[in-house]
Each structure stands twice: as C-alpha cells, then as structure tokens.
Amino acid sequence: MKLKSLLLRYYPPGIMLEYEKSGELKTKSIDLLSLSSSTDVSALVEEIQKAEPLITASRSDQVKLLIQRLQDKLRQHSNHKFYLFKVLRAHILPLTNVALNKSGSCFITGSYDRTCKVWDTASGEELHTLEGHRNVVYAIAFNNPYGDKIATGSFDKTCKLWSVETGKCYHTFRGHTAEIVCLSFNPQSTLVATGSMDTTAKLWDIQNGEEVFTLRGHSAEIISLSFNTSGTRIITGSFDHTVAVWEADTGRKVHTLIGHCAEISSALFNWDCSLILTGSMDKTCMLWDATNGKCVATLTGHDDEILDSCFDYTGKLIATASADGTARVFSAATRKCITTLEGHEGEISKISFNPQGNRLLTGSADKTARIWDVQTGQCLQVLEGHTDEIFSAFNYKGNIIIT
C-alpha cells in the first residue's frame, strides 16, 4: 500500500487518505470528531500514526499542518453576524422547500407553482426554471458534495432528475401511486431515494433511470428518509409511528424501530452511523442503537409535537424543535438537556446546527428565523422581514443563511 495524497474534510473534521493498493486507487478517512481548538496536535498525530500504517514518520509534519488547518477552520465564522443580503421574489405561489449546494454558490427553491428554480447565491440571479411537474414540487435536493444534479419530488407522484448546469431533465422516475413528500441522494450520488404517501419508498438508479428497489413494510405514508454517511443503509420514518432501517444494496429491512406512539416527523443517523435519532408528534425524540435497533434513550421535555430534530456534524449534540415554540439542545452522550431556546412566538418547524456546532438556526411560524448560542441558549440574532411561516438553511461553511 502506497499513500498518494492527503485531503482535508472540514465538517466534521477529518483527513481523507488516497492510497494505492495492488494498482488500484482507494480512499479512506480518519475521523477527528473530537478535535477542538485546544487539542494537543503532536499527541494526536502520534495516536494517528499508531493506528494508521499509511501515516509514516516522514508524513507526521504534513499531518500536523493539516490538523492545525482544521483547528483554524473550527474557529472561523463561529461568531458570524448575518445581514440581509438579497430578497428574491422567487415564485408566484408559496415555497415548499429550499436547499443549497455544498459550496453555497447556488441554491434551489421548490414551490406550489409546480416548478423548481435554481439561483445564483451571490447575484440573486435565476439560473434555471425546472418545469415539467404537473403538481406541487414538494421535495428537492442537490446531490452534494458533487452538486451537479438536482432531484425534485412532486405531488404528481413522479420524481425528476435534472442537470444543474443546463437545467435539462435527465429522467422522470415513475412508479409511486401517491404524492412524493421526501427524497434524498445517497452520498455516492448513484441512487435517489423517494418516500411517498403510498406507504413505500423507492430507490432509483441515477445512470439509467430505472427503479432498483421498492421498500415495502410501512402501513402509512413515509414522510422522512435519509441515508447513513457511508450510503450502506437508509432509514424511513412513517405516520404508522415506526422507523424502518434498510440495506441500500439489497432493499432488505434490517430493523423496525418501535416505541413512538404517534406519527414520526424526522429520522436520521449521526455521522459515525452508530445512532439513529427519531422525532415524533408524541412530543418525544428517541435515540436508537443503529446496530441492533434497540432504543437507548427517550428525550423528553417538550409540551407539544416535535416537528424537527438533528445532530450536529460530529454527532455530539442533538437539537429538537417543537410546536410548543421552543427548541432544546441535548448531549448525545449523557442524553441530558443542556439548554432550552425560548423566544419564538409560534411553532418551530425547522432547526439546524452551523457546521462549527456552536450556533443553531431555527425557522418559525412567527415569521422569523433566529440564531442561538448552543451552550447558553441565548438568542444572538432575529432574522426578520418575511410575512409568513419560515423554513431556513445554512450553507456548508456556515456563513450564509437562506430563509
């Protein structure tokens, strides 16, 4: 085995190794999930060298420099103040969703007007209107990190795959018998998964446009789905109160997570794929062991339905957003509530961490988005100007927000 190059992954912090093994180029990653600005770099490099034979003594200075760059990155944008940059009159009817590509250079909006639009972030210019759906465009996504394709899922029961560069439609995926309400690309960008009101999820091949598997087993609509970091598993959350874990390469159901007593609102893996977080209308979130499907904790404290939940990039923290108008931050390790975010005057439908993990962004029915300090729960900024309910998103660097 011969090491060819070392690449940085900023969020969550890690180093990617490109190496040659019997003539083939391969990659693997060293996750540095507990790296902080105060980590002793020399001691960390020694640990890495013990565990990773590809990192030889001659490479230790290079690895030190890379880790120092990661530490610098963790300090960046962490106290960013946001200002109103552009207001885009995007669609004639309300938006359903918004998503950014990895670099933040462009973003997409889905709408009740049956279109998805692609925008240049810096200029606010509309790059493409993706037309062809016959009903609401509800679910949208880029195939990040590549960002060269867009998937749109519609109430017309189809999903379409588009070119970001030309706006041309590559494929229309047909087969669902009811509205498509959620979708996701796998990390390798070879598959799109769609979840529908018809109680099934489907996996589609991006290259040939064919259906690969239908995931059957839920008894009510699927409203949430996501892949794990490696793309080997997919989870689906349903109104039947359960979450199912599936193998992406066989379509086989591995676990059914049973424990919630109302509809599921969100379901996702943490970065290292060891835990699954589920949020529910039963006012709780549950943490599950991803290997055996057993519940390891129930996070309580909200007085109303949980509408969204998420991990930070490293998987150390969990945030929950509720119809009770508050959000909460929990430690994934202790499962204790660290802080409660109070200040919104309406339900909070969307919550996300910035990449550095020290700020939270919430979008609410009170027509504002807010930025919070994760540790103290203090509201640092109120983003105002909209005249109706808000959903919002950070870019990958954490220095741009779209509402």
Side-chain angles (χ1 to χ4, degrees):
M1 292 204 304
K2 183 165 178 267
L3 185 63
K4 304 288 278 184
S5 66
L6 295 166
L7 305 164
L8 281 185
R9 186 190 66 217
Y10 287 124
Y11 310 117
I15 296 172
M16 315 294 285
L17 313 180
E18 283 194 340
Y19 63 99
E20 208 174 276
K21 189 179 179 184
S22 44
E24 249 191 289
L25 198 63
K26 303 194 166 207
T27 59
K28 62 167 136 174
S29 66
I30 301 171
D31 288 345
L32 303 171
L33 299 185
S34 47
L35 183 73
S36 72
S37 46
S38 57
T39 301
D40 178 336
V41 177
S42 300
L44 180 57
V45 172
E46 273 177 42
E47 265 177 58
I48 291 171
Q49 281 178 309
K50 278 183 200 144
E52 181 46 73
L54 282 168
I55 306 287
T56 53
S58 63
R59 290 280 191 171
S60 64
D61 284 347
Q62 188 189 357
V63 174
K64 262 184 207 166
L65 281 172
L66 290 177
I67 292 173
Q68 283 161 352
R69 274 177 60 194
L70 286 175
Q71 284 181 315
D72 290 344
K73 202 72 181 175
L74 287 171
R75 296 182 193 108
Q76 263 182 24
H77 298 308
S78 58
N79 298 318
H80 196 83
K81 265 293 203 214
F82 293 89
Y83 64 93
L84 182 60
F85 175 56
K86 288 220 162 25
V87 178
L88 307 180
R89 303 273 165 232
H91 295 263
I92 43 178
L93 291 174
L95 305 193
T96 54
N97 227 321
V98 53
L100 284 135
N101 68 349
K102 186 175 171 184
S103 69
S105 61
C106 68
F107 67 96
I108 47 179
T109 50
S111 169
Y112 281 91
D113 70 10
R114 306 179 177 193
T115 70
C116 172
K117 290 184 187 246
V118 187
W119 305 85
D120 181 278
T121 309
S123 67
E125 182 192 349
E126 184 186 311
L127 301 174
H128 303 293
T129 298
L130 311 181
E131 292 177 300
H133 281 297
R134 297 189 168 162
N135 207 326
V136 176
V137 173
Y138 192 74
I140 55 177
F142 279 102
N143 64 330
N144 290 336
Y146 310 100
D148 62 338
K149 295 185 181 71
I150 292 164
T152 54
S154 168
F155 284 3
D156 69 8
K157 309 172 194 173
T158 71
C159 172
K160 289 178 183 282
L161 184 73
W162 312 80
S163 159
V164 171
E165 198 184 343
T166 64
K168 170 176 149 281
C169 181
Y170 291 120
H171 301 296
T172 300
F173 303 124
R174 299 176 202 280
H176 280 296
T177 56
E179 295 87 338
I180 293 174
V181 291
C182 51
L183 57 78
S184 179
F185 284 94
N186 67 340
Q188 295 80 8
S189 190
T190 54
L191 299 172
V192 172
T194 52
S196 166
M197 306 284 264
D198 67 11
T199 76
T200 72
K202 289 178 185 282
L203 298 183
W204 311 85
D205 184 305
I206 281 178
Q207 277 320 105
N208 62 23
E210 301 290 315
E211 182 182 314
V212 187
F213 299 116
T214 296
L215 310 181
R216 287 192 177 85
H218 284 294
S219 59
E221 51 260 51
I222 291 173
I223 61 102
S224 161
L225 56 78
S226 56
F227 284 93
N228 66 356
T229 317
S230 56
T232 53
R233 300 235 159 142
I234 182 168
I235 44 178
T236 52
S238 167
F239 272 12
D240 67 9
H241 310 180
T242 72
V243 172
V245 184
W246 315 78
E247 280 177 353
D249 58 348
T250 64
R252 185 176 75 88
K253 195 196 304 189
V254 190
H255 304 297
T256 303
L257 312 183
I258 299 172
H260 283 295
C261 52
E263 293 92 335
I264 305 293
S265 55
S266 59
L268 65 169
F269 287 92
N270 65 346
W271 177 265
D272 69 11
C273 312
S274 60
L275 292 172
I276 292 168
L277 173 66
T278 57
S280 166
M281 304 295 182
D282 67 10
K283 311 178 190 175
T284 72
C285 271
M286 292 177 110
L287 268 180
W288 311 78
D289 183 313
T291 48
N292 62 21
K294 299 268 187 295
C295 177
V296 293
T298 302
L299 309 180
T300 58
H302 284 293
D303 304 330
D304 207 337
E305 301 171 345
I306 289 182
L307 303 178
D308 195 21
S309 61
C310 62
F311 286 104
D312 70 350
Y313 267 82
T314 61
K316 288 200 206 76
L317 297 173
I318 291 164
T320 57
S322 169
D324 67 13
T326 71
R328 286 172 175 255
V329 182
F330 294 86
S331 158
T334 67
R335 288 93 201 233
K336 298 269 187 294
C337 180
I338 297 167
T339 182
T340 304
L341 315 180
E342 294 176 304
H344 278 298
E345 289 163 22
E347 62 180 38
I348 303 173
S349 58
K350 196 83 186 94
I351 191 161
S352 54
F353 283 93
N354 69 344
Q356 295 82 359
N358 66 338
R359 298 284 180 266
L360 271 165
L361 173 64
T362 52
S364 167
D366 69 8
K367 310 172 192 174
T368 72
R370 287 174 183 247
I371 296 154
W372 310 80
D373 182 297
V374 167
Q375 293 304 325
T376 65
Q378 185 193 355
C379 177
L380 303 173
Q381 252 189 293
V382 180
L383 308 179
E384 294 177 292
H386 284 293
T387 56
D388 209 335
E389 191 168 339
I390 285 188
F391 42 88
S392 48
F394 272 113
N395 68 336
Y396 178 71
K397 285 187 192 154
N399 62 343
I400 295 172
I401 288 172
I402 291 189
T403 56

